[in-house]
Amino acid sequence: MELNKSTQGNVAVISVSGRLDSRSAPAAQVYLEEALDEYHLVVLDLGQMLSLSSAGLRVLLLTYRQADRTGTSVTLAGVRPDTREVLTATGFSNFFAMVDTVEDGVKALAE
Amino acid sequence: MNSRTEPPYDTSPAPWLDRIDAYPTQHICGFQVRPGRLFPFGATEVPSGINFSIYSNHATSVVLVLFRRGEAEPMAELPFPASFRIGSVFAMTVFGLELEEVEYGYRVAGPFQPGQGHRFEPARILLDPYAKMLSGGQTWGKLRSPGAVRGLVAYEDFDWEDDGPLQLPYEDLVIYELHVRGFTRHESSGVRAAGTFAGLTEKIPYLRQLGINCVELMPVFEFNELDNVYTDPVSGLPLWNYWGYSPVSFFAPKAAYAATGRQGMQIEEFKNMVKQLHQAGIEVILDVVFNHTAEGNEKGPVISFRGIDNKTFYMMAPDGSYLNFSGTGNTLNCNHPVVRGFVLDCLRHWAGEFHVDGFRFDLASILGRAPDGTPLSNPPLLETLAHDPVLRNCKLIAEAWDAAGIYQVGSFPSYHRWSEWNGRYRDAIRRFIKGDDGTAAEMATRLAGSADLYERRGAAASVNFITAHDGFTLRDLISYNEKHNEANGEQNQDGDNSNNSWNCGHEGETDDPEIQALRGRQARNALLLLLTSRGIPMLQAGDEAGRTQHGNNNGYCHDEPSWFDWSLVQSNESLVRFTRLAIAFRRAHPVLCHVPQAEPPDAAGAPPGLSWHGQRAWVADWSPQNHLLAAMFYAAGPVPDCVFIAANADWRDQALELPAAPGGLAWQLFADTGLEPPAEICEPGAERPLAVPGQLNVKARSTVILTGRAVSPATHRDEES
């Protein structure tokens, strides 16, 4: 798994690529926690995320909870169909706004 | 507390102090380990590792067998050192394991002395009875061999937000029994995740619209759907164990019922389903099978209990053979103190971790048998469950019989907590509707809440039903005189012969319009009586849309033919509408659910809470040849509630003189199954005045429901004139 961060205006775009599973989840969690401390508008680009395990779901939920506490807006962009199915079936999709592309996410948050 | 109040102590986050047992003390097979924590039993995530705990009263030693996820051969076998054992519990914490990357099982050593009831076979790798998730069964129909099913370690956290069991009053329930796979597997279901927990979640709008407020899920614990020795006599293909009344595990939700089973998220998916159902006001009851396991008798597979502590977990004859009160080969030794604890742990898990609202116990009379099979008058297991604090608000519903002759409908040891599937209600309503002589009086008793059976517990102890998974569907009940189970591969010998069914003049499907019309009335008569009876009504999913099994009354072994074809919801829209309105009527009239506090007539001459009538008001005919049942339910109060039911199971029309509607109300017509749909029923509240006030013509094999409604003075004068 690889994490990258860029900014577009005051929106942070964090891309997650590879597998978000129990091996990669702890590092991802620390990374996202720090990023959310710094930015209050965040697009999580999941377009390159190949798979998501239970541990990965937990990272996303912890991110949501942190965002909720701190008033940060987090939008998921480019969620692949199989990941979207997992998020829907487990109810995790109820916690996030999801958009097709990073650009859509940046635009929505910047408004 | 006011949120602006300063907390009385510093709540800013401080670093956690590490536990002093969060470190390994020794190495086994290259793994860092330490003596484990005994509780909870099973495999549990702990800081830096996984804790394994298993008990067996007769084992001499135990080995923990670890696998890399998906691999057939173990990566390591870790014997429990003697110092890792307290009593007969073996516990070990293994450090450095990735929760999502391991599968596990156990080898358990001890005597192999079948004559004494011991069947230890350390050569086999056994499933942990406390495993929270299983590997090997993620795809329906493709289970690994039962002996190769392994435990998975689950995350047990879930963000429930403010969800909790709904605690609906028993009296207000309308239960809908369904099979998780069959409910949405058919392509016509239109859901994304067909045949799964998530698919059921997608159907919540339908359930809400229908008006039910409780789903009872047929077995959802891991079972082996391939576990059937019979074959289809036509195709020669093996038959299924589709219903799943044969648990491989008691703690693990069935992965093949989860859209996310392949990702190992069946627990999250199940919990989300419960959470969403709760948000829709719908309770979740699980049909649980604690009377036997999938291991069968001595010829069955060795999966778990048999090799862990056979003599403790199963009822044994003195010669060491299996006692079989379940009809499946073995009987769980439910009242053995250890097994009682196991059952309790399991139910607490489902109630506490999964927020389920209650349980229906398959062949529950077995739970009242002693280890030697003798029925107990005060069974410790049933008493324990009735009083357990975690289960305090769970509905407990017994199938109050077993496969070896106990029939306890009305006499199940209840501790004022247990309700029962009222098998006598089912028999009575079927016989009455079909027009048998001598059934009106019993139907009256059943309609009124079966006080002959449940006088002390009240009608809430009676789960009323016409049909359930076991037997004909409603449509088949009115289309077949005989069962047609040839496809089950047992020459039509399986399934109940006593169905009290009537085909209305032709065996099976017909295009005869008269028979079709009669069947339409009979289905409505049955639904209307069920939904106006005191007690808890239970519907079988699909009956509202005319689901058929083509006369098969034991569909346990058929997969696709059992699926709910959702095109029926359109083609039988009028029956779905009828069911919806009859449920709505029940919910609009508490007098049908709750026995009013004061039954006797008051000084103003109000009628009793429940009175019986006939062709003449206030004169009921209980003779065997009478097939007319007329009842008036009445509750006084600021808004009086009054319902009149006239069910004519006779083949002739009958004219009734109506009792005066009490409390200044006037009778209005809610439903008359003798009328052509859609005029046969209306929205509650939109009832219309009678054609001839004070009189009612109830057509042959028809049921009429009236309700007393306050009328404006003008209307009142019209009726009097």
Side-chain angles (χ1 to χ4, degrees), chain B residues 209-448:
Chain B
Q209 195 184 28
L210 191 60
I212 60 96
N213 56 9
C214 178
V215 288
E216 180 170 310
L217 308 183
M218 288 167 66
V220 295
F221 300 174
E222 285 279 8
F223 64 87
N224 175 9
E225 62 272 17
L226 303 175
D227 181 12
N228 191 332
V229 296
Y230 295 102
T231 53
D232 185 313
V234 177
S235 70
L237 292 171
L239 289 165
W240 298 87
N241 167 28
Y242 167 78
W243 285 350
Y245 288 85
S246 187
V248 167
S249 165
F250 292 87
F251 281 80
K254 187 162 180 57
Y257 279 180
T260 58
R262 275 177 295 122
Q263 290 90 356
M265 297 182 197
Q266 54 266 40
I267 292 177
E268 283 89 353
E269 187 175 324
F270 191 103
K271 288 177 175 174
N272 179 56
M273 173 189 72
V274 174
K275 186 176 166 185
Q276 303 299 328
L277 283 164
H278 282 172
Q279 281 178 12
I282 298 171
E283 292 198 338
V284 180
I285 288 179
L286 301 186
D287 189 343
V288 293
V289 184
F290 283 106
N291 54 75
H292 74 281
T293 77
E295 291 187 305
N297 61 15
E298 55 281 349
K299 293 177 190 145
V302 181
I303 302 170
S304 180
F305 304 98
R306 193 200 305 280
I308 289 172
D309 197 351
N310 188 60
K311 192 172 183 169
T312 296
F313 280 104
Y314 293 115
M315 291 189 194
M316 311 300 302
D319 66 354
S321 62
Y322 290 90
L323 294 175
N324 180 10
F325 299 105
S326 65
T328 64
N330 67 49
T331 313
L332 202 68
N333 196 5
C334 304
N335 279 300
H336 185 288
V338 170
V339 186
R340 266 166 19 214
F342 174 77
V343 174
L344 183 62
D345 287 347
C346 175
L347 293 172
R348 284 176 161 186
H349 178 68
W350 288 99
E353 276 293 315
F354 286 84
H355 289 197
V356 306
D357 301 273
F359 304 95
R360 176 269 188 189
F361 294 76
D362 183 62
L363 300 184
S365 292
I366 286 181
L367 312 189
R369 288 185 185 265
D372 66 357
T374 315
L376 296 161
S377 58
N378 190 20
L381 174 62
L382 298 181
E383 185 184 36
T384 300
L385 301 184
H387 296 290
D388 184 69
V390 180
L391 307 178
R392 187 69 193 87
N393 295 315
C394 279
K395 272 92 183 173
L396 302 176
I397 301 169
E399 185 187 33
W401 53 85
D402 69 14
I406 300 189
Y407 190 79
Q408 293 178 306
V409 170
S411 62
F412 190 81
S414 76
Y415 307 95
H416 289 276
R417 280 278 282 119
W418 287 78
S419 297
E420 299 173 7
W421 267 25
N422 188 347
R424 289 181 60 182
Y425 182 96
R426 174 199 58 207
D427 299 342
I429 191 172
R430 289 179 174 203
R431 295 183 61 216
F432 175 76
I433 283 170
K434 117 188 216 280
D436 282 2
D437 279 347
T439 56
E442 185 177 359
M443 189 62 233
T445 305
R446 303 286 155 249
L447 184 79

Side-chain angles (χ1 to χ4, degrees), chain A residues 27-46:
Chain A
Q29 193 191 323
V30 171
Y31 187 96
L32 288 168
E33 199 178 321
E34 288 172 3
L36 261 69
D37 276 344
E38 200 176 335
Y39 298 93
H40 290 278
L41 299 172
V42 175
V43 173
L44 268 187
D45 176 9
L46 303 184

Side-chain angles (χ1 to χ4, degrees), chain A residues 21-23 52-58 61 65 85-86 88-92 94-95, chain B residues 98-101 155 157-159 161 192 198 259-260 263-265 268-269 272 275-276:
Chain A
D21 56 20
S22 64
R23 285 217 176 261
L52 176 72
S53 76
S54 285
L57 277 184
R58 279 160 174 76
L61 188 68
R65 285 289 165 219
E85 260 180 49
V86 166
T88 304
T90 53
F92 280 68
N94 298 334
F95 293 115
Chain B
E98 283 294 335
L99 182 146
E100 292 184 339
E101 293 178 7
Y155 292 106
D157 52 346
F158 184 76
D159 197 346
E161 300 178 275
R192 285 187 304 275
T260 58
Q263 290 90 356
M265 297 182 197
E268 283 89 353
E269 187 175 324
N272 179 56
K275 186 176 166 185
Q276 303 299 328

Side-chain angles (χ1 to χ4, degrees), chain B residues 65-260:
Chain B
V65 185
L66 296 173
F67 299 79
R68 283 188 192 84
R69 190 82 175 250
E71 291 187 1
E73 294 304 314
M75 67 169 167
E77 303 207 11
L78 287 64
F80 285 80
S83 60
F84 286 36
R85 172 180 184 171
I86 291 179
S88 58
V89 184
F90 301 77
M92 170 161 35
T93 301
V94 183
F95 294 87
L97 293 177
E98 283 294 335
L99 182 146
E100 292 184 339
E101 293 178 7
V102 293
E103 302 183 10
Y104 74 103
Y106 293 104
R107 294 186 197 276
V108 182
F112 188 86
Q113 297 164 338
Q116 273 79 55
H118 296 307
R119 291 178 174 269
F120 291 98
E121 289 184 75
R124 294 184 188 270
I125 301 170
L126 304 168
L127 176 66
D128 178 6
Y130 281 80
K132 307 299 189 302
M133 285 203 295
L134 267 49
S135 69
Q138 297 90 328
T139 306
W140 176 268
K142 296 195 175 144
L143 186 82
R144 272 185 215 163
S145 80
V149 173
R150 310 284 174 235
L152 296 173
V153 190
Y155 292 106
E156 294 184 62
D157 52 346
F158 184 76
D159 197 346
W160 284 104
E161 300 178 275
D162 57 357
D163 179 81
L166 296 181
Q167 299 184 38
L168 300 179
Y170 277 76
E171 292 86 348
D172 294 342
L173 291 184
V174 179
I175 299 176
Y176 188 74
E177 187 200 31
L178 65 86
H179 184 283
V180 170
R181 175 174 167 83
F183 192 57
T184 65
R185 182 61 187 83
H186 198 279
E187 59 179 5
S188 62
S189 74
V191 302
R192 285 187 304 275
T196 66
F197 302 126
L200 173 53
T201 307
E202 289 182 60
K203 281 292 184 189
I204 288 174
Y206 175 82
L207 299 174
R208 284 195 67 158
Q209 195 184 28
L210 191 60
I212 60 96
N213 56 9
C214 178
V215 288
E216 180 170 310
L217 308 183
M218 288 167 66
V220 295
F221 300 174
E222 285 279 8
F223 64 87
N224 175 9
E225 62 272 17
L226 303 175
D227 181 12
N228 191 332
V229 296
Y230 295 102
T231 53
D232 185 313
V234 177
S235 70
L237 292 171
L239 289 165
W240 298 87
N241 167 28
Y242 167 78
W243 285 350
Y245 288 85
S246 187
V248 167
S249 165
F250 292 87
F251 281 80
K254 187 162 180 57
Y257 279 180
T260 58

